[in-house]
């Protein structure tokens, strides 16, 4: 299990434990975290799980692959730290991960 802190656009934090092997998006959906929709269920076919990865964690979560990069083109307010949370697989190494949600996923 890894503790992940999801921070809503308004600054409200939600710290939850997410089982290794799940995606950061699945952890949010299973714990009813507002701000991550995951409309495609994690198939990297939409951009409704867009998050900003905290700078301290960017190297640890890695860089987006080509499909994710193309899907991020559909997200609003993309930044250098933007990732689709369905593409970040939780592991013990991500214990303490912090992600922030954009104002809107649509």
């Amino acid at each position: 299990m890894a503790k992940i802190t999801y921070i809503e656009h308004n600054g409200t934090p939600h710290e939850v434990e997410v089982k290794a092997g799940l995606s950061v998006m699945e952890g949010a959906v299973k714990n009813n975290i507002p701000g991550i929709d995951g409309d495609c269920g994690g198939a990297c076919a939409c951009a409704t799980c867009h998050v900003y990865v905290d700078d301290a964690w960017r190297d640890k979560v890695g860089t987006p692959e080509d499909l994710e990069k193309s899907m991020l083109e559909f997200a609003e307010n993309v930044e250098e730290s933007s990732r689709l949370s369905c593409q970040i697989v939780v592991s013990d190494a991500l214990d303490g991960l912090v992600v922030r949600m954009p104002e809107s996923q649509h």
Side-chain angles (χ1 to χ4, degrees), residues 38-53:
D39 289 345
C40 73
C44 199
C46 71
T48 61
C49 66
H50 175 215
V51 295
Y52 305 113
V53 175

Side-chain angles (χ1 to χ4, degrees), residues 6-14:
Y6 300 86
I7 301 175
E8 293 182 54
H9 177 71
N10 65 11
T12 304
H14 302 271

Side-chain angles (χ1 to χ4, degrees), residues 11-53:
T12 304
H14 302 271
E15 185 179 281
V16 297
E17 289 190 346
V18 179
K19 184 178 177 182
L22 294 178
S23 70
V24 172
M25 181 273 302
E26 289 172 308
V29 171
K30 289 180 184 293
N31 287 285
N32 298 313
I33 306 296
I36 294 181
D37 297 338
D39 289 345
C40 73
C44 199
C46 71
T48 61
C49 66
H50 175 215
V51 295
Y52 305 113
V53 175

Side-chain angles (χ1 to χ4, degrees), residues 12-94:
T12 304
H14 302 271
E15 185 179 281
V16 297
E17 289 190 346
V18 179
K19 184 178 177 182
L22 294 178
S23 70
V24 172
M25 181 273 302
E26 289 172 308
V29 171
K30 289 180 184 293
N31 287 285
N32 298 313
I33 306 296
I36 294 181
D37 297 338
D39 289 345
C40 73
C44 199
C46 71
T48 61
C49 66
H50 175 215
V51 295
Y52 305 113
V53 175
D54 188 81
D55 287 342
W57 290 93
R58 288 177 57 194
D59 287 339
K60 291 179 182 162
V61 300
T63 57
E65 304 227 354
D66 289 342
L67 179 58
E68 181 180 354
K69 285 179 187 176
S70 68
M71 291 313 303
L72 279 167
E73 292 177 15
F74 296 100
E76 295 182 27
N77 303 311
V78 173
E79 297 178 2
E80 189 70 26
S81 64
S82 290
R83 289 293 308 270
L84 296 181
S85 59
C86 69
Q87 298 301 296
I88 303 172
V89 178
V90 175
S91 68
D92 291 341
L94 295 184

